[in-house]
Amino acid sequence: MLDGKVLLVTGASRGIGRAIALLAAENHAHVIINYNKSENSAAELVSLIEGKGLSASMIKADVSSEKEVKDMFSWIKEKYSKIDVLVNNAGIMRNSLLAFTDTEIFDQTIGINLKGTFLCTRYASNMMRKQKSGKIINISSIVALEGNEGQTVYSASKAAIIGFTRSAAKELGRYGITVNAVAPGLVETDLIKDIKPEIKNKMLSNISLGRIGTPEDIAKVVLFLSSDLANYVSGSVIAVDGCQTI
Ligand code: NAP
């Protein structure tokens, strides 16, 4: 489905980003695996993909750092001369009640989740505009739509991504670039490992499909949005949550 496409996934060393990168590679994209701290996991993923006779490379960049993002895109330009798909997936979640949420949590969460999405989109779209094509997929969350106790800052960062997605879609459409968001529900990754089992079970009882999502559930929707099947989809927010939000 993605033959010959160059696809960058931010935060692809673990969790949802890893599954997105793997499925894209299995669909014959050349995947660029961005990571920040988990170098070994990123290297293992490259080996796994190359072991299947498919194509991948990895690059370290903290998406909240303008310099590192700029360097990452200079490297992509030099090595591949193009970028077809950007998946803004890198994110953190630091839960705390508002009264206990200090400014450092705010700055870090907004820095990685929102500023990282802004920076990568700006650099990628500069290349895509010249190509007159491109697909950008931003990973939001259903808490952007619903809110959640203990997640004021996280949900704000994810809600901002939806506004950013819709505005960027309007601005970039004339260049043949689509911009969409995926809003996952609860997905089994390291991000949710500290949620207490009783709270997880309570959340589970609100999911019609009766199970927590897997990273692959999200990756399949991202694959669709990355492919030509979604050429007329832009500015959309797709919840992938087992029917938790309605
Ligand atoms: P995860 O397992 O904790 O993985 C997070 C990934 O983000 C890691 O690969 C990590 O890379 C990367 N990352 C963190 N800070 C970074 C930075 N400054 N620069 C570059 N990469 C960075 O989380 P996940 O569950 O897969 O979450 C992926 C995305 O889905 C996030 O945006 C999250 O908000 C969203 N989401 C998750 C859920 C869920 O239930 N899991 C639900 C809704 C939305 P390193 O380890 O290399 O630093």
Side-chain angles (χ1 to χ4, degrees):
M1 273 170 93
L2 301 176
D3 290 66
K5 306 274 188 204
V6 174
L7 178 146
L8 167 66
V9 188
T10 67
S13 49
R14 296 182 287 115
I16 294 172
R18 182 185 186 281
I20 292 169
L22 184 56
L23 189 61
E26 287 168 349
N27 280 272
H28 303 284
H30 171 82
V31 294
I32 303 169
I33 292 155
N34 158 258
Y35 67 98
N36 186 31
K37 294 183 181 153
S38 306
E39 185 172 359
N40 290 345
S41 309
E44 274 168 30
L45 181 57
V46 172
S47 301
L48 175 69
I49 291 170
E50 287 181 343
K52 291 170 180 264
L54 303 165
S55 175
S57 55
M58 59 190 259
I59 177 135
K60 187 218 170 308
D62 173 350
V63 295
S64 67
S65 155
E66 174 147 21
K67 186 189 177 309
E68 292 187 29
V69 170
K70 188 173 180 220
D71 290 349
M72 174 166 72
F73 280 94
S74 298
W75 177 83
I76 291 171
K77 211 171 185 175
E78 200 170 301
K79 200 166 156 76
Y80 302 103
S81 316
K82 67 164 187 169
I83 179 162
D84 298 299
V85 183
L86 164 68
V87 185
N88 283 307
N89 165 80
I92 58 162
M93 182 179 84
R94 291 178 65 187
N95 294 340
S96 65
L97 293 173
L98 186 55
F100 304 104
T101 303
D102 57 35
T103 312
E104 184 262 329
I105 291 182
F106 180 91
D107 288 343
Q108 193 192 27
T109 305
I110 297 295
I112 295 172
N113 296 7
L114 181 58
K115 186 179 164 197
T117 296
F118 157 71
L119 287 172
C120 292
T121 302
R122 199 180 65 196
Y123 281 99
S125 63
N126 283 345
M127 292 174 71
M128 290 171 174
R129 272 208 315 273
K130 290 180 190 131
Q131 299 163 193
K132 298 244 177 301
S133 68
K135 292 191 160 56
I136 298 170
I137 298 124
N138 299 323
I139 306 299
S140 176
S141 165
I142 58 162
V143 301
L145 311 169
E146 293 208 308
N148 198 17
E149 213 178 320
Q151 295 193 329
T152 49
V153 174
Y154 177 72
S155 65
S157 75
K158 293 295 177 180
I161 285 174
I162 292 179
F164 179 83
T165 298
R166 290 186 166 142
S167 296
K170 288 191 172 179
E171 200 174 305
L172 297 173
R174 73 187 71 128
Y175 303 104
I177 302 168
T178 63
V179 190
N180 291 289
V182 171
L186 198 61
V187 180
E188 202 65 75
T189 68
D190 291 346
L191 195 85
I192 64 160
K193 70 178 185 313
D194 295 331
I195 299 180
K196 294 192 178 90
E198 57 272 24
I199 295 179
K200 254 193 206 172
N201 286 337
K202 199 172 156 215
M203 290 164 103
L204 188 55
S205 67
N206 289 325
I207 302 174
S208 295
L209 289 179
R211 65 172 175 86
I212 291 176
T214 63
E216 292 71 28
D217 289 323
I218 311 304
K220 287 173 191 166
V221 177
V222 173
L223 174 65
F224 162 70
L225 290 171
S226 305
S227 77
D228 288 347
L229 293 177
N231 279 352
Y232 201 58
V233 182
S234 194
S236 293
V237 181
I238 304 182
V240 186
D241 64 353
C243 194
Q244 190 183 343
T245 21
I246 59 161

